């Protein structure tokens, strides 16, 4: 049974249908990717799952329970964590505190207990700090726990965001462009880290990614969005050779020669090293 | 900065106020002149609103310089300092620039003296009196009109020269001047208790009845600069930190004990007026720590904070008063917990409807809440219960003692307020480091992300309002006992604004910051009549200066901790090495 099932999800912004009648499933313990040109509706779909947007139509079921009417914190409690395309750390908190606050739901101490300094609270805090240190080490930030999040270099901030998401012990982890702005070596590391996460913790992972090397390397299933609609779904091999996908990425003009340009997707990517520079938009 | 014209600009370039600026081709001179004109406006303002003449009554160094003169000197000096700041120039140029800017400000004062000798402008500028001219010219009258001009040029030039000194020297100098200023202001307060001790002779040598003596000024200057120098070169703080904990404690414990004893005997030494001022500061510390939770930690602006203070005060009034509106005649100590709980309930009341409001709207909504409470308290509607404008009187003191006891009068409240503030500071400190405290800060930083992480916004925000209100309610309860009565007119919007200002000045989210902010913004104006006339002027200056120079506040919360306990036996074994670790 899939861990998350979205059925006929539609999200509109005024006249713009950002997600259009989308059906989507992700299997427990798998790594899946969501790709598509800029503005395809990928981030919007994440926001629908995580409760940032109310959807106009459709249903999202997580672990057998419909979640489209729940608040964000309730969705987090069910075990969905996310990161953000434009990093959103708590800038004036230390790296350590960012992870501590990420464990909010799993700590049990009440404020009265905290004021009185009860034994239970002290143990709870001790556990939380140990767990936070473990997570810092897990993402390779072991010496940077007492730095302010805003003072960390860009790559470290991305990792810290992942660590904060992991602090909630998620069953489903949504990663929005985790390698954006990273150089090839760093993005290679991040890819291995994501795979390691799944292998080690069994976390189901859904990621939005523009870097085709990353996508093709680790995804078991890829879903391609274009103007809010699903235009293709399948294994990396299937996606790479799908004429609709190539058309979406390269524009209408090249559709006729699609077959010859099957390898063009990674090639296009390779020329673009920029921060959020995605593939060329579909508009010809 | 492109400077082409060589050498020092002609000193004749200090022109009269009208229209000199555009004629200058080079931008540096224009800036110097603009600063000078601005300084002139400030200096004139200081004179015209009466700050200089009123402050003149308080000597800083007896017979040498008064507070009013110090204010003028400071403004002229600051003009020169600002005009030459952040410019890489030759030393001669720096001094000249400073002198021009300072001199310009002085010219305005000189012009004022000359004008005053010709026409009497007191009809529309009541402060432009011979007294003021006397201060400006060292009582030389019109013949001394050149004095402000010259003083401005000298001070401005000095300020420019300061830019040449090494940062270390500059800092030593500032420390010396600030110590001089502070001790000069507090001289009377320090002298009084010393006179009763065996050090009376020393006190007479250093301190006049108001201000320092000349000898005292020299001693203070030398001692503070010397101490600062020793600290800089020997790094006593680091030496102290490097001591083993047992040695450190051997130094700390007596110091803490000494401080405790001093706090205990303070009302005896300084008299009940001073004790009362401290009690008021402690009240504001309580409220400040309360608002520090709602605003400083959770980032929820609340400009109606005085409402909770009022709720606490009225609850104690109703429950304990022996007069008309008292309903229970409980002892103070039984009423206090009730007051705190009622304040918390009101906190929840306020919190619920405005949960989804953000930003500026929150300021208006909360301010409205404060006004509603104020108007209700004074209204005819609630008059049968709360006494309307006449309020509730005859609120008994918490501890009944004979009038000659050391716990009589304001002293008792001094101790209670201090204990209350200490208690609240402790609770605030515990909360800050707790799961709830972290959740508050997360909400302040990014509400949406905080919720997506699993924080229940409703519950957490309501708790911020409730606990903030509890602190203010305790403050109100102590206030009711301090004054012995509570009136609707005590609930002023200004109280809320004072509390918000002291948090900003002290440092958002910082507990020591709240205390420092309360001492600066509440304690000083209470202590010095001269200040209290211009309280809001100083608030404005303090807030603007803070925003410009130290937006994080005087004592910001220590967000970056140096020591962070790695390692130790409690570390779990490395279950999984990070593939990301290089
Ligand atoms: N809050 C919003 N209000 C209005 N329009 C929005 C909003 N968020 C997204 N959109 C629009 O919805 C469409 C989908 O945006 P979305 O951010 O989901 O794209 P994306 O696939 O994540 O693109 P990218 O690769 O650039 O991140 C875009 O046209 C965008 O302009
Ligand atoms: Mg996106």
């Amino acid at each position: 049974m899939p861990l998350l099932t979205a059925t006929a999800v539609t999200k509109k912004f005024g006249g713009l249908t950002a997600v259009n009648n989308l059906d989507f499933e992700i299997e427990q313990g798998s790594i899946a990717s969501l790709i598509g040109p800029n503005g395809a509706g990928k981030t919007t779909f994440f926001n629908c799952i995580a409760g940032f947007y109310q959807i106009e139509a459709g249903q999202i079921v997580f672990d057998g329970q419909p979640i489209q009417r729940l608040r964000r914190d309730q969705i987090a409690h069910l075990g969905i964590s996310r990161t953000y395309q434009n990093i959103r750390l708590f800038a004036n908190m230390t790296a350590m505190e960012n992870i501590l606050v990420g464990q909010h739901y799993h700590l049990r101490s009440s404020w009265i207990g905290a004021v009185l300094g009860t034994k239970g609270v002290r143990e709870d805090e001790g556990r939380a700090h140990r767990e936070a240190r473990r997570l810092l080490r897990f993402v390779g930030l072991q010496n940077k726990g007492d730095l302010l999040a805003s003072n960390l270099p860009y790559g470290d901030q991305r990792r810290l965001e992942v660590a904060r998401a992991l602090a909630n012990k998620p069953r489903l982890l949504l990663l929005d462009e985790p390698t954006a702005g990273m150089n090839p070596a760093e993005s290679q590391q991040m890819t291995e880290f994501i795979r390691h996460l799944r292998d080690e913790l069994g976390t189901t992972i859904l990621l939005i990614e523009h870097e085709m090397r990353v996508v093709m390397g680790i995804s078991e299933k890829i879903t391609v969005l274009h103007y809010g609609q699903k235009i293709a779904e399948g294994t990396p091999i299937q996606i790479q050779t799908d004429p609709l996908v190539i058309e979406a990425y390269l524009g209408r003009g090249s559709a006729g020669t699609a077959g010859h340009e099957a390898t063009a997707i990674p090639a296009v990517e390779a020329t673009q090293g920029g921060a959020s520079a995605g593939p060329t938009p579909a508009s010809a | 900065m492109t400077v082409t014209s060589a050498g020092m600009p002609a000193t004749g370039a200090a022109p009269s106020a009208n229209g000199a600026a555009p004629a200058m081709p080079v931008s540096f001179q224009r800036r110097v002149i603009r600063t000078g004109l601005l300084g002139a406006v400030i200096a004139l303002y200081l004179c015209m609103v009466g700050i200089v003449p009123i402050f003149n009554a308080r000597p800083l160094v007896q017979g040498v310089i008064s507070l009013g003169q110090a204010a003028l000197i400071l403004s002229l000096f600051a003009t020169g300092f600002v005009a030459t700041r952040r410019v890489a120039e030759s030393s001669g140029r720096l001094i000249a620039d400073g002198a021009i800017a300072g001199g310009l400000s002085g010219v305005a004062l000189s012009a004022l003296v000359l004008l005053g000798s010709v026409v009497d402008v007191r009809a529309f500028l009541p402060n432009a009196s011979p007294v003021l001219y006397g201060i400006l010219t060292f009582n030389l009258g019109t013949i001394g009109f050149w004095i402000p001009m010259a003083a401005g040029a000298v001070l401005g030039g000095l300020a420019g020269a300061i830019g040449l000194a090494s940062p270390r020297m500059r800092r030593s100098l500032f420390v010396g001047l600030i110590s001089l200023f502070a001790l000069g202001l507090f001289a009377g307060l320090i002298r009084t208790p010393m006179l009763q001790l065996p050090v009376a002779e020393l006190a007479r040598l250093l301190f006049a009845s108001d201000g320092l003596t000349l000898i005292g000024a020299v001693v203070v200057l030398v001692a503070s600069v010397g101490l600062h120098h020793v600290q800089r070169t020997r790094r006593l703080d680091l030496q102290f930190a490097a001591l083993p904990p047992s040695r450190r404690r051997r130094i700390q414990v007596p110091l803490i004990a000494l401080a405790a004893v001093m706090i205990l005997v303070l009302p005896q030494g300084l008299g009940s007026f001073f004790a009362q001022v401290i009690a008021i500061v402690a009240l504001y510390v309580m409220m400040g720590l309360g608002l520090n939770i709602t605003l400083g930690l959770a980032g929820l602006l609340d400009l109606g904070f005085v409402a909770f203070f009022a709720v606490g005060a009225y609850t104690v009034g109703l429950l304990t008063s022996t007069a008309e509106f008292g309903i229970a005649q409980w002892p103070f100590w039984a009423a206090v917990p009730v007051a705190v709980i009622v304040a918390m309930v009101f906190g929840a009341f306020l919190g619920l409807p405005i949960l989804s409001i953000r930003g500026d709207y929150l300021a208006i909504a909360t301010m409205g809440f404060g006004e509603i409470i104020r108007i209700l308290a004074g209204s005819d509607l609630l008059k049968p219960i709360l006494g309307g404008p006449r309020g509730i009187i005859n609120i008994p003191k918490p501890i009944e003692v004979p009038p000659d006891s050391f716990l009589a009068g304001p002293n008792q409240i001094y101790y209670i307020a201090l204990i209350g503030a200490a208690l609240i500071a402790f609770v605030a400190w515990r909360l800050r480091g707790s799961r709830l405290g972290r959740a508050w800060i997360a909400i302040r930083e990014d509400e949406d992300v905080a919720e997506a992480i699993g924080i229940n916004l409703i519950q957490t925000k309501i708790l911020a309002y409730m606990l903030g209100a509890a602190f203010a309610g305790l403050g109100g309860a102590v206030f009711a006992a301090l004054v012995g009565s509570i009136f609707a007119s005590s609930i002023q919007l200004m109280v809320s604004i004072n509390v918000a200002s002291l948090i900003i000045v002290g440092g958002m989210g910082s507990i020591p910051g709240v205390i420092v902010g309360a001492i600066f913004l509440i304690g000083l104006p209470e202590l010095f009549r001269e200040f209290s006339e211009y309280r809001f002027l100083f608030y404005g200056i303090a807030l603007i200066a803070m925003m410009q120079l130290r937006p994080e506040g005087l004592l910001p919360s220590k967000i970056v901790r140096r020591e962070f306990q790695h390692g130790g036996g409690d570390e779990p074994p490395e279950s999984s090495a990070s593939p990301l670790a290089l």
Side-chain angles (χ1 to χ4, degrees), chain A residues 119-189:
Chain A
K119 189 150 173 284
V121 168
R122 285 204 308 276
E123 285 170 0
D124 209 30
E125 282 292 306
R127 263 196 305 277
H129 279 79
R130 277 194 297 278
E131 170 71 5
R133 260 173 261 146
R134 193 185 66 78
L135 280 168
L136 277 174
R137 215 169 28 239
F138 191 58
V139 297
L141 295 175
Q142 52 273 34
N143 296 320
K144 303 187 174 169
D146 48 353
L147 292 181
L148 282 190
S150 52
N151 290 346
L152 290 174
Y154 185 82
D156 287 353
Q157 292 196 4
R158 283 237 171 259
R159 298 178 210 183
L160 178 58
E161 220 190 16
V162 174
R164 184 183 65 183
L166 289 176
N168 185 38
K169 301 189 172 68
R171 298 171 60 199
L172 173 63
L173 181 60
L174 308 172
L175 300 174
D176 199 340
E177 305 201 14
T179 70
M182 290 186 171
N183 64 32
E186 285 176 326
S187 101
Q188 177 63 27
Q189 277 183 359

Side-chain angles (χ1 to χ4, degrees), chain A residues 10-20 44 54-56:
Chain A
T10 298
K11 175 68 204 170
K12 293 182 183 157
F13 295 112
L16 174 85
T17 307
V19 175
N20 195 353
T44 305
Q54 293 292 311
I55 56 178
E56 267 84 40

Side-chain angles (χ1 to χ4, degrees), chain A residues 52 71-73 76-77 80 82 84 88 90-94 96-97 100-102 104-105 107-109 111 114-117 125 128-130 133-134 136-140 142-143 145-148 151 159 164 168 186 189-190 192-193 196 200, chain B residues 344 358 426-427 430-458 460 463 467 559-567 570-582:
Chain A
F52 279 62
R71 283 195 319 267
R72 282 174 286 214
D73 54 317
H77 295 173
I80 300 181
R82 67 171 296 186
Y84 301 83
R88 287 174 82 171
F90 301 122
N92 291 316
M93 296 172 96
T94 63
M96 183 80 173
E97 285 175 324
L100 284 174
V101 81
H104 187 82
Y105 177 64
L107 303 181
R108 282 279 148 258
S109 52
W111 66 268
V115 169
L116 299 178
E125 282 292 306
H129 279 79
R130 277 194 297 278
R133 260 173 261 146
R134 193 185 66 78
L136 277 174
R137 215 169 28 239
F138 191 58
V139 297
Q142 52 273 34
N143 296 320
D146 48 353
L147 292 181
L148 282 190
N151 290 346
R159 298 178 210 183
R164 184 183 65 183
N168 185 38
E186 285 176 326
Q189 277 183 359
M190 183 54 95
E192 278 164 27
F193 175 68
H196 173 86
E200 195 89 354
Chain B
M344 283 176 91
R358 291 191 194 190
F426 175 77
V427 173
R430 277 281 170 89
L431 284 175
R432 164 67 181 80
S434 75
R435 168 177 179 264
L436 181 61
R438 290 191 297 261
W440 281 333
I441 299 173
I443 288 180
R444 181 189 73 194
E445 294 288 302
D446 191 329
E447 194 172 314
D448 297 333
V449 175
E451 187 176 42
I453 258 171
I455 293 170
N456 184 329
L457 290 185
I458 301 175
T460 312
L463 269 176
L467 289 170
I559 13 188
V560 186
R561 282 174 211 84
R562 274 232 208 92
E563 287 167 33
F564 162 48
Q565 309 80 359
H566 287 287
D570 58 340
E571 289 284 298
E574 292 239 357
S575 56
S576 49
S578 165
L580 275 179
L582 287 165

Side-chain angles (χ1 to χ4, degrees), chain B residues 18-220:
Chain B
N18 36 7
M24 294 295 168
V26 223
S27 60
F28 82 92
Q29 275 166 334
R30 205 187 290 173
R31 209 199 36 173
V32 167
I33 287 170
R34 209 172 339 133
T35 315
L37 292 179
L38 189 65
V41 171
I42 292 174
L44 283 177
Y45 182 78
L46 288 176
C47 293
M48 288 313 175
V49 298
I51 289 185
V52 170
I54 292 179
F55 281 22
N56 205 48
R58 179 188 280 273
L60 212 53
V61 179
Q62 187 97 53
V64 179
I65 178 175
S66 75
L67 193 58
Q69 285 162 331
L72 271 182
I73 289 175
L74 197 69
S75 104
L76 294 173
F77 189 85
T79 307
F81 185 73
V82 172
T84 54
R85 201 170 51 143
R86 283 189 294 219
V87 197
E89 295 271 12
S90 68
S91 51
R93 172 47 78 38
L94 274 181
I95 296 176
D97 282 359
I100 291 173
L104 251 178
S105 310
V107 165
L109 296 176
S110 293
L112 177 69
V113 174
L114 284 179
L115 181 72
S117 68
V118 187
V119 281
D120 189 1
V121 289
R122 258 180 290 180
F124 21 88
L125 293 173
N127 283 309
S129 64
V131 178
L132 177 65
Y133 304 145
I135 298 167
L136 292 177
T137 60
F138 291 108
N139 292 324
L140 283 183
T142 316
I143 331 157
F145 79 92
W146 52 271
I147 289 180
M149 220 153 57
V154 170
L155 286 165
L158 268 178
I162 288 279
L164 301 172
S166 70
R168 196 152 150 189
M169 269 177 69
R170 224 180 309 168
R171 188 159 298 176
S172 287
L173 193 67
F174 276 126
V175 167
L177 289 178
I178 286 174
S179 316
L180 191 68
F181 199 75
L183 283 173
L185 273 181
F186 287 103
L189 278 175
I190 303 171
R191 193 173 101 128
T192 318
M194 278 173 84
L195 286 178
Q196 296 160 13
L197 299 172
V199 287
E201 276 315 306
L202 181 67
R204 281 201 194 88
L205 184 70
L206 298 180
F207 302 111
S209 60
D210 247 342
L212 292 160
T213 59
L214 193 54
I215 299 173
V218 174
V219 170
V220 166

